[in-house]
């Protein structure tokens, strides 16, 4: 059997979904009339797994995995490392510090963009997101040592 790229990608979505479901099983699902904290993550994960299955089933039309060009693997690894570092720093540093640091790191180091536009975007985008989520919607974000 020849393995195609979409077979691997769809299978990865299914396996990742199964891991998320296993890890988030302690959240209450609730009912349709009174949804619990686990309803939306569970529904999204099941949808992700279903679409992964569709990708696997229709994967024969994609290029073979053996023909994949792996020249961009180092770039992808840097992006994954930056996001993993941000996830690790989010609780101790809080959103207000971590989000701009993530954007700065991704755009300066990984993408090698000019400094001034990167600074403007790295401050403006998390600032707008913070204003929308924390101030307007009053949903708490992880607080850091600065208290916000």
């Amino acid at each position: 059997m020849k393995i195609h790229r979409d077979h691997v990608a769809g299978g990865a979505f299914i396996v990742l979904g199964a891991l998320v479901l296993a890890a988030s099983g302690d959240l209450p699902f609730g009912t349709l009339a009174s949804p619990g904290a686990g309803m939306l993550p569970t529904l999204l994960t099941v949808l992700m797994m279903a679409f992964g299955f569709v990708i696997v089933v229709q994967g024969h039309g994609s290029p073979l995995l053996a023909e994949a060009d792996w020249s961009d693997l180092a770039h992808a690894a840097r992006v994954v490392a930056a996001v993993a570092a941000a996830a690790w720093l989010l609780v101790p540093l809080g959103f207000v510090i971590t989000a701009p640091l993530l954007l700065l790191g991704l755009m300066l180091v990984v993408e090698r963009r000019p400094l001034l536009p990167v600074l403007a975007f790295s401050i403006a985008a998390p600032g707008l997101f913070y204003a929308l989520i924390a101030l307007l919607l009053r949903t708490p974000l992880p607080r850091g040592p600065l208290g916000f």
Side-chain angles (χ1 to χ4, degrees), residues 36-59:
M39 183 177 280
L40 185 61
T42 301
L43 291 176
L44 290 175
T45 303
V46 168
L47 277 174
M48 181 179 78
M49 292 173 70
F51 287 129
F53 180 74
V54 170
I55 290 172
V56 168
V57 169
Q58 296 181 346

Side-chain angles (χ1 to χ4, degrees), residues 3-145:
I3 307 251
H4 294 261
R5 293 182 201 175
D6 282 357
H7 293 141
V8 175
F13 280 119
I14 293 169
V15 169
L16 182 63
L19 291 173
V20 168
L21 283 178
S24 64
D26 58 341
L27 293 174
F29 188 80
T31 64
L32 288 177
S34 178
M39 183 177 280
L40 185 61
T42 301
L43 291 176
L44 290 175
T45 303
V46 168
L47 277 174
M48 181 179 78
M49 292 173 70
F51 287 129
F53 180 74
V54 170
I55 290 172
V56 168
V57 169
Q58 296 181 346
H60 61 281
S62 69
L64 292 173
L65 182 63
E67 298 171 359
D69 177 22
W70 297 100
S71 62
D72 208 26
L73 188 61
H75 180 265
R78 287 190 295 270
V79 171
V80 169
V83 172
W88 184 65
L89 293 172
L90 186 60
V91 173
L93 293 183
F95 175 81
V96 173
I97 296 173
T98 305
L101 285 177
L102 172 64
L103 292 176
L104 275 169
L106 283 174
M107 291 191 296
L108 279 179
V109 177
V110 177
E111 299 299 329
R112 297 184 177 102
R113 301 288 182 202
L115 178 63
L116 290 178
V118 166
L119 280 174
F121 180 75
S122 297
I123 293 169
L128 288 172
F129 187 80
Y130 181 83
L132 174 68
I133 300 298
L135 303 178
L136 187 65
L137 296 177
R138 294 188 179 136
T139 302
L141 290 169
R143 292 176 177 245

